[in-house]
Amino acid sequence: MAKILITSGPTRQYLDPVRYLSNASSGRMGAALAEAALRLGHEVVIVSGPVSIQYPSAAKVVPVITTDEMLLASRTWFARCDGAIGAAAPCDYMPRFVETQKIAKTGEPLTLQLVETPDVVATLGQMKTDRQWVVGFALETEDRRFRAIVKLEKKLCDMIVSNGPTAIDSDENDVELLDASGVAVAHVKGTKQQVADVLLAEIDDRLIRKTASIR
Ligand code: C5P
């Protein structure tokens, strides 16, 4: 049995007390992965941005809002886990300045200055010991395999799941799982639960049993 951290859902970056940047991630892929991991007898901690779906009640859920909060919670929980799956869609940018009062309309264009947020999966990739593993997701509109391999290497992942934009806020997904050397080891199309079940079976086989055997 392994203890698995799953990041899930979107994050929000506030511009002022009422407005924020975010994306349409629903958390459904994270929930399906959690369900699949629990079915295999693993323990699951989900660090999740704001979502309206329900996560499996047997999983521990750590709610966060911003990418910085997701990073902090993920670092803390990863230290107590065997591996992590980055299924979240954290905001990649945040406003350079957050207004303390609601930004008033002036009739003029408004220019926002955005700065990059930290990368949660890349941080876990740097943090991991040789007994831990990290699986990332790569959502690409073109050159899917190539771009996924670049992210796999850059974020120091042990495997990466390549999917397309139709995955966002959908019940279905169509993914390719790439191993550490960029070889496609599985191609799965179906509901997110069917996809998650295959991904977890592969992760179980290729990463969890392998790291358990070097203990
Ligand atoms: O670079 P990109 O956002 O496409 O990478 C996707 C992978 O990186 C996903 O696993 C996602 O959860 C993770 N990610 C992250 N922190 C960010 C951006 C992406 O963990 N700030």
Side-chain angles (χ1 to χ4, degrees), residues 24 26 28-29 165-173 190-192:
S26 64
R28 270 182 262 179
M29 195 65 229
T166 53
I168 297 179
D169 203 17
S170 162
D171 275 331
E172 312 230 312
N173 208 347
T191 63
K192 285 189 174 169

Short mmCIF file of all heavy atoms in Angstrom, two decimals, residues 24 26 28-29 165-173 190-192:
data_model
loop_
_atom_site.label_atom_id
_atom_site.label_comp_id
_atom_site.label_asym_id
_atom_site.label_seq_id
_atom_site.Cartn_x
_atom_site.Cartn_y
_atom_site.Cartn_z
N ALA A 24 -11.10 26.47 -16.20
CA ALA A 24 -12.33 25.65 -16.09
C ALA A 24 -12.09 24.24 -15.56
O ALA A 24 -12.98 23.39 -15.65
CB ALA A 24 -13.01 25.58 -17.45
N SER A 26 -12.29 21.07 -13.51
CA SER A 26 -13.40 20.69 -12.63
C SER A 26 -12.95 19.87 -11.42
O SER A 26 -13.69 19.71 -10.46
CB SER A 26 -14.40 19.83 -13.41
OG SER A 26 -13.76 18.62 -13.82
N ARG A 28 -12.46 16.69 -11.83
CA ARG A 28 -12.97 15.34 -12.06
C ARG A 28 -11.87 14.31 -12.30
O ARG A 28 -11.99 13.17 -11.87
CB ARG A 28 -13.93 15.35 -13.25
CG ARG A 28 -15.34 15.59 -12.79
CD ARG A 28 -16.30 15.56 -13.93
NE ARG A 28 -16.56 16.93 -14.35
CZ ARG A 28 -17.35 17.27 -15.35
NH1 ARG A 28 -17.93 16.35 -16.07
NH2 ARG A 28 -17.56 18.52 -15.64
N MET A 29 -10.80 14.72 -13.00
CA MET A 29 -9.70 13.76 -13.23
C MET A 29 -9.05 13.41 -11.90
O MET A 29 -8.75 12.24 -11.63
CB MET A 29 -8.68 14.37 -14.22
CG MET A 29 -7.72 13.38 -14.81
SD MET A 29 -8.55 12.16 -15.86
CE MET A 29 -7.88 10.65 -15.24
N PRO A 165 -7.07 19.53 -25.02
CA PRO A 165 -7.96 20.51 -24.39
C PRO A 165 -9.39 20.01 -24.17
O PRO A 165 -10.11 20.56 -23.35
CB PRO A 165 -7.95 21.69 -25.37
CG PRO A 165 -7.42 21.17 -26.64
CD PRO A 165 -6.58 19.97 -26.34
N THR A 166 -9.79 18.93 -24.87
CA THR A 166 -11.16 18.42 -24.67
C THR A 166 -11.31 17.79 -23.28
O THR A 166 -12.42 17.51 -22.84
CB THR A 166 -11.51 17.36 -25.74
OG1 THR A 166 -10.49 16.36 -25.72
CG2 THR A 166 -11.62 17.96 -27.13
N ALA A 167 -10.18 17.58 -22.60
CA ALA A 167 -10.24 16.99 -21.25
C ALA A 167 -10.85 17.95 -20.23
O ALA A 167 -11.44 17.52 -19.24
CB ALA A 167 -8.82 16.62 -20.80
N ILE A 168 -10.73 19.26 -20.50
CA ILE A 168 -11.14 20.25 -19.50
C ILE A 168 -12.65 20.22 -19.30
O ILE A 168 -13.41 20.31 -20.26
CB ILE A 168 -10.69 21.67 -19.91
CG1 ILE A 168 -9.17 21.73 -19.98
CG2 ILE A 168 -11.20 22.71 -18.92
CD1 ILE A 168 -8.62 23.07 -20.39
N ASP A 169 -13.06 20.11 -18.06
CA ASP A 169 -14.47 20.14 -17.66
C ASP A 169 -15.32 19.11 -18.41
O ASP A 169 -16.48 19.35 -18.72
CB ASP A 169 -15.03 21.57 -17.89
CG ASP A 169 -16.26 21.81 -17.00
OD1 ASP A 169 -16.44 21.06 -16.03
OD2 ASP A 169 -17.02 22.73 -17.31
N SER A 170 -14.71 17.96 -18.75
CA SER A 170 -15.44 16.91 -19.47
C SER A 170 -15.49 15.64 -18.63
O SER A 170 -14.68 15.45 -17.71
CB SER A 170 -14.68 16.64 -20.79
OG SER A 170 -15.06 15.40 -21.32
N ASP A 171 -16.41 14.73 -18.97
CA ASP A 171 -16.49 13.45 -18.28
C ASP A 171 -15.55 12.44 -18.91
O ASP A 171 -15.34 11.36 -18.37
CB ASP A 171 -17.91 12.89 -18.38
CG ASP A 171 -18.79 13.46 -17.30
OD1 ASP A 171 -18.25 13.80 -16.22
OD2 ASP A 171 -20.00 13.59 -17.55
N GLU A 172 -15.04 12.76 -20.10
CA GLU A 172 -14.22 11.81 -20.85
C GLU A 172 -12.80 12.34 -21.04
O GLU A 172 -12.56 13.54 -20.91
CB GLU A 172 -14.83 11.61 -22.24
CG GLU A 172 -16.32 11.36 -22.18
CD GLU A 172 -16.72 10.16 -22.98
OE1 GLU A 172 -16.27 10.08 -24.13
OE2 GLU A 172 -17.44 9.30 -22.43
N ASN A 173 -11.91 11.42 -21.38
CA ASN A 173 -10.54 11.84 -21.67
C ASN A 173 -9.91 10.86 -22.64
O ASN A 173 -10.39 9.73 -22.82
CB ASN A 173 -9.72 11.94 -20.37
CG ASN A 173 -8.61 12.97 -20.46
OD1 ASN A 173 -8.29 13.44 -21.55
ND2 ASN A 173 -8.02 13.30 -19.34
N GLY A 190 -11.73 7.03 -22.88
CA GLY A 190 -12.97 6.61 -22.22
C GLY A 190 -13.38 7.62 -21.18
O GLY A 190 -12.93 8.77 -21.21
N THR A 191 -14.21 7.19 -20.24
CA THR A 191 -14.60 8.10 -19.17
C THR A 191 -13.35 8.37 -18.32
O THR A 191 -12.40 7.58 -18.33
CB THR A 191 -15.68 7.47 -18.26
OG1 THR A 191 -15.10 6.32 -17.63
CG2 THR A 191 -16.90 7.07 -19.05
N LYS A 192 -13.40 9.46 -17.56
CA LYS A 192 -12.23 9.77 -16.72
C LYS A 192 -11.98 8.65 -15.71
O LYS A 192 -10.84 8.37 -15.36
CB LYS A 192 -12.41 11.13 -16.04
CG LYS A 192 -12.19 12.26 -17.05
CD LYS A 192 -12.12 13.63 -16.43
CE LYS A 192 -11.75 14.65 -17.51
NZ LYS A 192 -11.90 16.04 -17.09
#
